[in-house]
Amino acid sequence: QKEVEQDPGPLSVPEGAIVSLNCTYSNSAFQYFMWYRQYSRKGPELLMYTYSSGNKEDGRFTAQVDKSSKYISLFIRDSQPSDSATYLCAMLRSNFGNEKLTFGTGTRLTIIP
Amino acid sequence: DAGVTQSPTHLIKTRGQQVTLRCSPKSGHDTVSWYQQALGQGPQFIFQYYEEEERQRGNFPDRFSGHQFPNYSSELNVNALLLGDSALYLCASSFSGTGDNNEQFFGPGTRLTVL
């Protein structure tokens, strides 16, 4: 069993829709939960991170973490064609810069104009 | 600030050959991590270098080795290439201190194709 599971999609939604992306994990030691966006032929870029359980909002993006269920989500409101990319969830046990990131497989998202 | 840079962009090798990939970290960063991203998969941690030493290693064979230089730049070497080594190789740099400002910044990657 992989430590982090993510539905690879692909997922296609019309412009303006709300997008929900999810990951589950098995390692209860994970404390930091990240969402990365990766455009084609580019490296991943950090969208947002959450420490422990709770919600975090940044513009059109909301990240949720439920540690009791070992389940994390990313919601994108008012989706735009520029949001079309692969979204990767990633997790750390602690101490950002020193820890290895454990990634999900990524969900390929297409926003249809 | 140029961010994390990697070279070359693309590389084609044949089975059994050896390859060296290079990474320059973001200014102010002292830690370099390498990841392998196969097509349709998430990045997998290979190893991390700090103070010119390998600090952590993922589940990769000894054919994968690395080096960090005094200026914090790093190399990834892969010997005896296999077809399964074809992937995007990502370098990420970070600062070794504690705190929430230690985000790992990724470079654009080197796409390696093994024929």
Side-chain angles (χ1 to χ4, degrees):
Chain A
Q1 181 189 7
K2 290 185 177 181
E3 282 190 287
V4 180
E5 300 278 359
Q6 183 176 9
D7 186 342
L11 180 63
S12 295
V13 301
E15 183 176 354
I18 296 175
V19 176
S20 173
L21 304 168
N22 312 293
C23 289
T24 59
Y25 63 96
S26 57
N27 189 344
S28 58
F30 288 135
Q31 297 282 354
Y32 291 88
F33 304 91
M34 277 78 73
W35 286 95
Y36 283 83
R37 178 173 62 195
Q38 185 174 26
Y39 291 113
S40 181
R41 304 185 186 281
K42 300 287 187 182
E45 59 173 334
L46 181 66
L47 268 178
M48 52 195 310
Y49 77 91
T50 307
Y51 172 69
S52 195
S53 285
N55 296 354
K56 188 171 185 177
E57 188 172 319
D58 184 1
R60 297 185 294 110
F61 298 88
T62 299
Q64 289 186 350
V65 174
D66 182 349
K67 291 190 71 179
S68 63
S69 301
K70 295 189 176 66
Y71 187 88
I72 71 170
S73 301
L74 177 71
F75 298 95
I76 307 174
R77 293 184 299 280
D78 187 25
S79 55
Q80 304 294 312
S82 59
D83 295 329
S84 297
T86 295
Y87 289 80
L88 296 152
C89 63
M91 303 179 189
L92 289 171
R93 292 175 304 174
S94 66
N95 202 9
F96 251 22
N98 299 336
E99 279 280 318
K100 68 171 187 175
L101 287 160
T102 301
F103 284 90
T105 54
T107 299
R108 188 173 176 180
L109 173 67
T110 301
I111 307 300
I112 304 166
Chain B
D1 183 5
V4 181
T5 60
Q6 292 186 244
S7 63
T9 305
H10 297 91
L11 207 50
I12 299 175
K13 292 286 188 178
T14 57
R15 282 178 295 174
Q17 285 190 310
Q18 178 265 343
V19 68
T20 298
L21 310 181
R22 296 176 176 83
C23 171
S24 291
K26 186 177 170 65
S27 177
H29 287 179
D30 57 6
T31 302
V32 173
S33 302
W34 287 92
Y35 294 81
Q36 179 196 65
Q37 186 176 22
L39 194 62
Q41 300 295 316
Q44 297 292 314
F45 176 76
I46 302 174
F47 43 53
Q48 183 184 84
Y49 276 84
Y50 170 69
E51 292 188 339
E52 302 179 50
E53 296 285 333
E54 183 183 290
R55 182 160 61 178
Q56 297 182 64
R57 189 178 183 91
N59 189 25
F60 278 80
D62 292 345
R63 298 186 297 109
F64 290 78
S65 63
H67 189 77
Q68 186 179 34
F69 299 93
N71 67 352
Y72 307 118
S73 67
S74 177
E75 288 182 349
L76 164 66
N77 301 293
V78 187
N79 294 322
L81 285 167
L82 304 173
L83 295 179
D85 295 332
S86 296
L88 180 68
Y89 287 85
L90 295 162
C91 168
S93 74
S94 56
F95 175 63
S96 58
T98 59
D100 287 349
N101 62 340
N102 294 334
E103 173 187 345
Q104 293 185 34
F105 286 83
F106 283 84
T110 293
R111 183 160 299 281
L112 173 65
T113 302
V114 181
L115 301 176

